[in-house]
């Protein structure tokens, strides 16, 4: 692994100068590539086995459903235990589940119901442990670099989305789904190696004494009582419900509206990922130029306009260019919102704020992509997507007119939070 001091001195890459962060980021990237290889392999397998798009969608839904329900629990657990050990435990469980799929695939005993069960279990493990991973990354960098850390984490996710499907296509052609599943199983060991290089951080002993459900209620109460966090979570929900469905509806847009096929779908997905990675590299410079708060306001306003332009694209080439910039804008906005949630609270509450953000994002996106997809079958995709983009733009402009500095001036300093209560009382 390269030494962090040899990396370019680009502002957006400053978190890489912290060895622990760089190690965990690389481990997550390798694991994410493996996850996308498994996702593609299982999608192909289920589609070829059943011949039904509904079955493929159901498998995807099973992996995302736990996020809506279990995110607050995952956040409370992550704030309760040592985050490094907790994240490592989650990686071991996910490796075990991937190993089961791999063994069944090599033995020719893989079935769609088994895939559904393991996808659901994997979604549960991921939801319960991801807040620990996100909070661990946050504590490996100074507070002023948290936005950059969040952006780079989104960049590695999008790099995995670009590299994973490409490698999966090669592996599927050469050896079949079992080898793609094996690659994913092995990829979790990269996370374990990376976590072994992180120096454990001292924990707040009072956090362990707080009952689990009290910890969950505490996180929700802090978010509810902090007006800035509440605003960020509301904004996250509306972005997820009204704009973010462009991600899940890419195949429908490419096939129905542009008259293309699978290759066009892959192109648009790749261009979105490339835009996100590019934005992650430049977000530090933009934040220094405009300031993080003002940049957040600009991103919230421009994303609606970029979304509308994308949905109006007359050709695949124009759509590819538009989704590149839309993907970049989306990363800037969402990484800023996520960082705001964690920056507003003390370290011992950061995982809970991250989990609430994930819950709101997952709920908004699931509702939005389902509703827009269902309505598009009746009145047309372009009309629905343009309407939701216009609604979001109207909401942002209304907020900026009624409270012109509110959205841009979400404070970054931790709010005043009372110490953990003694559970014996």
């Amino acid at each position: 692994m390269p030494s962090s001091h040899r990396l370019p001195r680009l502002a957006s890459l400053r978190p890489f100068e912290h060895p622990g962060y760089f190690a965990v980021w690389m481990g997550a990237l390798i694991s994410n590539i493996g996850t996308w290889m498994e996702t593609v392999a299982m999608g192909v397998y289920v589609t070829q086995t059943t011949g039904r798009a509904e079955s493929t969608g159901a498998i995807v839904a099973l992996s995302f459903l736990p996020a809506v329900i279990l995110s607050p629990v995952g956040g409370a657990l992550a704030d309760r235990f040592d985050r490094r050990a907790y994240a490592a435990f989650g990686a071991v469980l996910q490796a075990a589940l991937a190993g089961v799929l791999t063994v069944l695939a090599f033995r020719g005993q893989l079935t769609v119901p088994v895939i559904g069960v393991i996808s659901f279990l994997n979604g549960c493990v991921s939801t319960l442990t991801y807040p620990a991973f996100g909070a661990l990354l946050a504590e490996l960098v100074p507070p002023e670099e948290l936005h950059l850390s969040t952006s780079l984490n989104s960049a590695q996710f999008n790099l995995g989305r670009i590299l994973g499907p490409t490698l999966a296509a090669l592996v599927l052609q050469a050896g079949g789904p079992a080898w793609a599943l094996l690659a994913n199983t092995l990829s979790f060991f990269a996370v374990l190696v990376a976590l072994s290089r992180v120096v454990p951080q001292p924990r707040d002993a009072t956090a362990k004494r707080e009952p689990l459900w009290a910890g969950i209620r505490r996180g929700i109460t802090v978010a509810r009582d902090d007006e800035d966090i509440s605003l960020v979570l509301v904004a996250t929900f509306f972005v997820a419900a009204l704009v973010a469905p462009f991600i899940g509806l890419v195949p429908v847009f490419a096939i129905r509206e542009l008259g293309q096929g699978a290759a066009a779908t892959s192109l648009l997905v790749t261009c979105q990922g490339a835009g996100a990675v590019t934005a992650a590299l430049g977000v530090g410079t933009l934040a220094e130029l405009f300031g993080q708060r003002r940049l957040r306001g600009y991103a919230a306003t421009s994303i609606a306009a970029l979304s509308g332009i994308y949905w109006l694209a007359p050709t695949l080439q124009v759509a590819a260019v538009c989704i590149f910039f839309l993907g970049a804008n989306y990363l800037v906005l969402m990484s800023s919102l996520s960082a705001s949630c964690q920056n507003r609270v003390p370290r011992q509450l950061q995982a809970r704020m991250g989990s609430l953000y994930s819950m709101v994002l997952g709920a908004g996106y699931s509702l939005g992509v389902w509703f827009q997809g269902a309505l598009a079958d009746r009145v047309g995709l372009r009309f629905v997507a343009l309407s939701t983009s216009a609604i979001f733009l109207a909401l942002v402009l209304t907020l900026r007119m009624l409270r012109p500095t509110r959205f841009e001036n979400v404070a970054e300093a931790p709010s005043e939070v009372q110490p953990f209560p003694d559970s014996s009382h």
Side-chain angles (χ1 to χ4, degrees):
M1 190 173 295
S3 174
S4 59
H5 70 272
R6 296 179 181 176
L7 291 168
R9 295 286 298 177
L10 186 65
S12 300
L13 299 182
R14 279 201 299 265
F16 283 164
E17 296 175 5
H18 308 282
Y21 179 89
F22 185 75
V24 174
W25 189 92
M26 286 297 299
L29 174 60
I30 294 172
S31 177
N32 194 31
I33 291 173
T35 297
W36 277 102
M37 292 180 69
E38 178 182 281
T39 299
V40 172
M42 290 299 88
V44 170
Y45 177 85
V46 172
T47 300
Q48 291 179 342
T49 301
T50 66
R52 300 175 60 192
E54 180 183 1
S55 299
T56 305
I59 296 297
V60 174
L62 284 172
S63 64
F64 279 95
L65 180 62
V68 180
I69 303 171
L70 296 178
S71 286
V73 179
L77 290 174
D79 283 332
R80 188 181 183 89
F81 301 114
D82 177 82
R83 289 163 182 168
R84 186 186 72 145
Y86 188 54
F89 178 68
V92 170
L93 289 180
Q94 288 183 293
L97 291 171
V100 172
L101 282 178
T102 302
V103 171
L104 292 175
F106 274 114
R107 298 184 62 175
Q109 298 176 336
L110 201 61
T111 64
V112 174
V114 168
I115 293 174
V117 171
I118 293 183
S119 294
F120 179 78
L121 293 176
N122 187 66
C124 291
V125 174
S126 178
T127 299
L128 290 173
T129 57
Y130 184 78
F133 176 80
L136 177 63
L137 286 177
E139 69 185 24
L140 293 176
V141 299
E144 63 271 16
E145 295 181 10
L146 183 57
H147 185 196
L148 303 179
S149 166
T150 305
S151 298
L152 287 174
N153 188 36
S154 297
Q156 70 85 7
F157 177 82
N158 284 280
L159 276 174
R161 176 160 51 187
I162 294 171
L163 299 175
T166 302
L167 293 176
L170 297 175
V171 171
L172 289 173
Q173 185 177 9
W179 291 98
L181 296 176
L182 177 61
N184 182 47
T185 302
L186 297 176
S187 72
F188 286 103
F189 289 95
V191 177
L192 297 176
V193 171
L195 291 173
S196 70
R197 301 190 59 181
V198 175
V199 178
Q201 300 292 318
R203 307 303 302 160
D204 187 337
T206 57
K208 293 184 178 181
R209 297 201 304 266
E210 186 178 33
L212 177 62
W213 293 111
I216 295 173
R217 290 195 302 270
R218 177 176 168 78
I220 295 174
T221 300
V222 169
R224 182 196 63 198
D225 294 343
D226 188 303
E227 188 176 356
D228 292 321
I229 295 178
S230 297
L231 176 61
V232 167
L233 292 178
V234 170
T236 299
F237 177 84
F238 281 112
V239 174
L242 298 175
V243 180
F246 82 89
I247 300 170
L249 296 175
V250 162
V252 182
F253 184 57
I255 295 171
R256 287 190 185 180
E257 303 297 333
L258 299 178
Q260 303 291 327
T265 300
S266 299
L267 174 64
L268 293 179
V269 172
T270 300
C271 287
Q272 181 211 335
V277 172
T278 303
L281 296 177
V283 71
T285 302
L286 292 174
E288 290 181 349
L289 181 62
F290 298 107
Q292 289 191 14
R293 298 170 183 175
R294 185 172 297 175
L295 179 61
R296 182 186 304 119
Y298 290 158
T301 305
S302 60
I303 195 170
L306 284 173
S307 175
I309 295 172
Y310 164 70
W311 291 113
L312 287 172
T315 65
L316 175 62
Q317 291 76 14
V318 175
V321 174
C322 291
I323 203 172
F324 174 90
F325 289 103
L326 181 56
N329 196 146
Y330 183 76
L331 180 136
V332 171
L333 177 58
M334 302 312 288
S335 63
S336 176
L337 292 173
S338 176
S340 295
C341 283
Q342 293 187 327
N343 262 336
R344 283 289 301 161
V345 296
R347 177 175 167 273
Q348 69 265 25
L349 288 172
Q350 285 182 335
R352 270 170 278 190
M353 292 306 105
S355 69
L356 289 176
Y357 169 85
S358 297
M359 181 183 70
V360 171
L361 178 63
Y365 179 74
S366 300
L367 176 64
V369 75
W370 170 81
F371 179 77
Q372 290 189 34
L375 198 58
D377 288 334
R378 294 165 173 79
V379 298
L381 177 60
R382 288 186 194 263
F383 176 79
V384 172
L386 286 169
S387 298
T388 54
S389 297
I391 292 172
F392 181 77
L393 179 60
L395 290 173
V396 172
L397 293 179
T398 300
L399 177 61
R400 296 186 68 145
M401 284 189 296
L402 295 179
R403 308 179 73 175
T405 62
R406 190 58 181 167
F407 191 80
E408 293 182 9
N409 290 335
V410 175
E412 303 297 343
S415 57
E416 293 295 327
V417 179
Q418 296 300 317
F420 282 96
D422 189 332
S423 59
S424 62
H425 291 171

